[in-house]
């Protein structure tokens, strides 16, 4: 398991914690590889029947580590983030997100592939792709409008509207809301319920609920092509330069 990703399995519940608090739990390519490995193992394993994703301390995740993406693999090499998104979007077993604080970028888009999202009252949700010179990912251009409605999705994906926890529940992005202090206990209760339920009934029910999502893989592929183009664009280069120089980006 890579540094900054911890795994713990107790009573058929596996918990993956994104643990890089000094960088607000921003995710590197090595971390994505570890997360993909964990999800692939969970999919195959009989020892775990529920999988929880959460963040360390007071952040869920600040999203992608931009410096790492700027220097990431190109060409025919399959990026670890692609493996992770494939694993989370096709996982046939229960996935729970325990959103303990701000969820940014992929911190939001990965939620669209989880079955239950439990958020603390300190959580916020934002998708600042355009502001970073990028485009939506993880089929969020398809799934976010289907989840929160077109108007709110446009506000988030184009204008970087930040949802607070109450709004996230109201718009259907989050399943349950708890005080920060109760998040671990509430998540453990739900995860145990799923882990102890009839496993075949869970698998078949998830399969039925997920019917009609045939477009997800195709949309993800379209997004990944445009995302890669933007990573090599002058716009993204300007974002990285602006962050390095601690100034606002200039797209004129």
């Amino acid at each position: 398991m890579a540094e900054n990703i911890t795994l713990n399995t107790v009573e058929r519940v596996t918990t993956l914690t994104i643990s890089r608090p000094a960088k607000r739990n921003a995710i590197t390519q090595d971390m994505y590889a570890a997360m993909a490995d964990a999800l692939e193992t969970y999919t195959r394993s009989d020892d775990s029947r529920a999988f929880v994703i959460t963040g360390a301390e007071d952040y869920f995740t600040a999203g992608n580590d931009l410096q790492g993406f700027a220097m990431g693999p190109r060409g025919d090499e399959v990026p670890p983030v692609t493996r992770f998104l494939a694993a989370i979007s096709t996982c046939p077993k229960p996935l729970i997100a325990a959103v303990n604080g701000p969820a940014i970028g992929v911190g939001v888009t990965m939620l669209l592939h989880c079955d239950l999202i439990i958020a603390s009252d300190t959580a916020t949700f934002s998708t600042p792709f355009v502001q970073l010179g990028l485009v939506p990912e993880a089929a969020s251009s398809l799934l976010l409008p289907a989840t929160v409605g077109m108007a709110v999705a446009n506000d988030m994906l184009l204008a970087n509207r930040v949802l607070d926890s109450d709004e996230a529940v109201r718009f259907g992005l989050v399943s349950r809301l708890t005080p920060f202090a109760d998040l671990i206990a509430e998540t453990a209760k739900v995860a145990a319920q799923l882990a102890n339920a009839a496993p075949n009934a869970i698998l078949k029910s998830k399969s039925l609920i997920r019917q009609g999502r045939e477009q997800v893989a195709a949309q993800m592929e379209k997004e990944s092509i445009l995302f890669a183009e933007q990573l090599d664009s002058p716009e993204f280069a300007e974002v990285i330069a602006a962050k390095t120089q601690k100034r606002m980006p200039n797209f004129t």
Side-chain angles (χ1 to χ4, degrees), residues 54 97-101 118-120 176 178-188:
T54 192
V99 186
N100 54 305
I118 305 170
S120 79
R176 305 186 188 194
T178 74
F180 180 83
D182 297 337
L183 179 65
I184 293 175
E186 178 68 14
T187 302

Side-chain angles (χ1 to χ4, degrees), residues 9-61:
T9 300
V10 177
E11 296 182 352
R12 291 182 169 174
V13 175
T14 296
T15 300
L16 182 152
T17 304
I18 305 167
S19 184
R20 196 185 178 207
K23 296 291 185 179
R24 301 187 303 172
N25 295 337
I27 305 174
T28 65
Q29 293 285 4
D30 286 345
M31 292 165 69
Y32 274 123
M35 294 165 74
D37 289 344
L39 282 167
E40 290 164 359
T41 298
Y42 167 62
T43 295
R44 298 188 302 266
S45 173
D46 292 329
D47 298 328
S48 183
R49 294 183 179 175
F51 193 98
V52 176
I53 302 175
T54 192
E57 298 187 11
D58 57 358
Y59 247 81
F60 184 61
T61 174

Side-chain angles (χ1 to χ4, degrees), residues 88-249:
I88 198 170
S89 64
T90 60
C91 181
K93 297 167 68 176
L95 297 174
I96 304 167
V99 186
N100 54 305
I104 302 172
V106 72
V108 173
T109 63
M110 74 168 73
L111 303 180
L112 301 170
H113 301 283
C114 293
D115 304 299
L116 290 166
I117 299 97
I118 305 170
S120 79
D121 52 7
T122 62
T124 58
F125 305 83
S126 60
T127 52
F129 298 112
V130 169
Q131 288 69 30
L132 297 173
L134 299 171
V135 299
E137 55 170 25
S140 58
S141 57
L142 173 70
L143 296 176
L144 193 61
T147 300
V148 302
M150 186 65 72
V152 175
N154 282 341
D155 214 352
M156 293 179 70
L157 293 173
L158 300 180
N160 193 27
R161 176 177 177 178
V162 179
L163 301 187
D164 63 26
S165 56
D166 289 326
E167 290 173 321
V169 171
R170 187 164 74 249
F171 294 132
L173 180 61
V174 165
S175 311
R176 305 186 188 194
L177 182 61
T178 74
F180 180 83
D182 297 337
L183 179 65
I184 293 175
E186 178 68 14
T187 302
K189 180 178 71 175
V190 174
Q193 181 180 349
L194 294 179
N196 291 310
N200 288 329
I202 287 280
L203 292 176
K204 291 175 182 177
S205 295
K206 177 166 178 172
S207 175
L208 288 169
I209 293 166
R210 292 290 169 128
Q211 281 188 1
R213 288 169 58 110
E214 293 82 3
Q215 291 178 267
V216 168
Q219 191 76 0
M220 204 177 292
E221 177 63 22
K222 290 177 185 177
E223 290 173 347
S224 67
I225 292 170
L226 297 178
F227 198 98
E229 288 178 2
Q230 285 301 113
L231 283 176
D232 288 327
S233 72
E235 292 179 342
F236 183 67
E238 169 60 13
V239 168
I240 294 299
K243 285 185 175 293
T244 301
Q245 298 165 18
K246 298 182 179 180
R247 60 172 175 81
M248 294 295 294

